[in-house]
């Protein structure tokens, strides 16, 4: 027996009741008002004083906040966690696309991608991720990463990444996937933050 939720793709996903209760317990303990504001969200991730990570968290918050009322309610919280922790690759890529597409016009342009790549770089340093260490090749600058992603992914060369280009590009090219996976796989990052946080 489980509770059904509609995910970002409009599909029904089943969530185990016991797990849901566990999530809810954590949610109400940390968030008695039932809605999560940006500053609380940041506190849960322990980044309220970390300006470098703040931008990434703000993008993530916007992607979690489906109805755009600037708070995250329990359903949005569950939908987001369910996607991040268990979603299929394509769903994660769609979610990532939404995080990257800051102005929400349905395309990712270079400044949007650069902003994200830069904040991921800083964040990864902050979190002492293995991502950079495991790379034997010299680390590209964020600008170089963005240029290369556009070269590989912007198929029609219009300087914008559409959702289809984004998903196809990530699937076709291992390097692109890896670069995007710094964020495509926010699950790993969130699980890491979870240990430091009572909320997740
Ligand atoms: Ca909301
Ligand atoms: Ca955009
Ligand atoms: Ca394009």
């Amino acid at each position: 027996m489980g509770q059904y939720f509609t995910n970002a793709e409009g599909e029904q996903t089943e969530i185990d009741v016991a797990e849901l209760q566990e999530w809810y317990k954590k949610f109400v303990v940390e968030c008695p008002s039932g809605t999560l504001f940006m500053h609380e969200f940041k506190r849960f991730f322990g980044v309220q004083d970390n300006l470098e990570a703040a931008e990434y968290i703000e993008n993530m918050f916007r992607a979690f906040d489906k109805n755009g009322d600037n708070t995250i309610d329990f359903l949005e919280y569950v939908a987001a966690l369910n996607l991040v922790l268990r979603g299929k690759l394509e769903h994660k890529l769609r979610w990532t696309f939404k995080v990257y597409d800051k102005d929400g016009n349905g395309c990712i342009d270079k400044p949007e991608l650069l902003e994200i790549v830069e904040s991921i770089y800083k964040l990864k340093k902050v979190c002492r991720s293995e991502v950079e260490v495991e790379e034997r090749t010299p680390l590209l600058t964020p600008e170089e990463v963005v240029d290369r992603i556009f070269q590989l992914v912007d198929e029609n060369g219009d300087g914008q990444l559409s959702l289809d280009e984004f998903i196809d590009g990530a699937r076709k090219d291992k390097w692109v996937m890896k670069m995007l996976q710094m964020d495509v796989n926010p699950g790993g990052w969130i699980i890491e933050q979870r240990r430091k946080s009572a909320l997740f």
Side-chain angles (χ1 to χ4, degrees):
M1 275 289 284
Q3 181 80 36
Y4 284 92
F5 282 90
T6 305
N7 67 13
E9 309 309 309
E11 292 166 6
Q12 298 273 297
T13 54
E14 192 177 358
I15 297 172
D16 183 66
V17 166
E19 194 174 356
L20 202 61
Q21 283 167 343
E22 195 53 37
W23 286 359
Y24 190 66
K25 251 192 276 170
K26 287 173 181 161
F27 188 78
V28 288
V29 165
E30 289 295 328
C31 186
S33 69
T35 50
L36 197 54
F37 290 90
M38 180 78 85
H39 67 274
E40 296 170 314
F41 192 69
K42 284 181 181 168
R43 199 181 61 219
F44 294 139
F45 283 109
V47 298
Q48 70 271 38
D49 300 321
N50 182 342
L51 293 176
E52 286 157 346
E55 198 155 348
Y56 180 84
I57 296 294
E58 280 165 20
N59 282 339
M60 197 146 94
F61 185 91
R62 273 194 293 275
F64 278 34
D65 177 22
K66 276 201 220 164
N67 65 0
D69 65 355
N70 293 321
T71 61
I72 294 174
D73 60 33
F74 182 64
L75 288 181
E76 289 170 334
Y77 163 82
V78 168
L81 269 195
N82 194 43
L83 170 68
V84 166
L85 301 177
R86 274 206 292 257
K88 291 186 201 129
L89 177 63
E90 187 177 333
H91 293 173
K92 288 183 181 171
L93 286 171
R94 283 172 187 272
W95 187 82
T96 305
F97 186 86
K98 218 173 139 186
V99 174
Y100 286 18
D101 180 20
K102 197 175 174 184
D103 64 9
N105 71 345
C107 283
I108 296 171
D109 55 28
K110 279 196 179 182
E112 284 173 338
L113 189 61
L114 182 61
E115 201 174 286
I116 287 286
V117 171
E118 279 178 340
S119 62
I120 288 172
Y121 264 51
K122 289 174 191 157
L123 192 64
K124 289 292 173 182
K125 256 176 230 154
V126 170
C127 294
R128 286 195 198 87
S129 161
E130 71 288 358
V131 166
E132 288 159 76
V133 179
E134 78 187 19
E135 291 284 355
R136 295 281 176 245
T137 48
L139 193 65
L140 299 172
T141 66
E143 287 80 6
E144 287 166 340
V145 169
V146 168
D147 283 343
R148 205 167 148 195
I149 289 176
F150 266 81
Q151 269 169 26
L152 293 164
V153 178
D154 182 17
E155 280 205 358
N156 64 2
D158 67 351
Q160 304 265 341
L161 304 183
S162 66
L163 179 60
D164 288 344
E165 287 174 335
F166 187 80
I167 290 175
D168 285 357
R171 283 203 167 129
K172 265 191 303 209
D173 190 286
K174 246 179 129 180
W175 180 83
V176 170
M177 180 65 96
K178 191 168 168 57
M179 293 319 287
L180 295 176
Q181 224 164 15
M182 298 198 293
D183 195 65
V184 161
N185 193 7
W189 187 74
I190 285 181
I191 287 163
E192 191 183 315
Q193 300 307 307
R194 240 172 130 171
R195 291 190 212 109
K196 306 170 192 165
S197 152
L199 177 66
F200 289 122

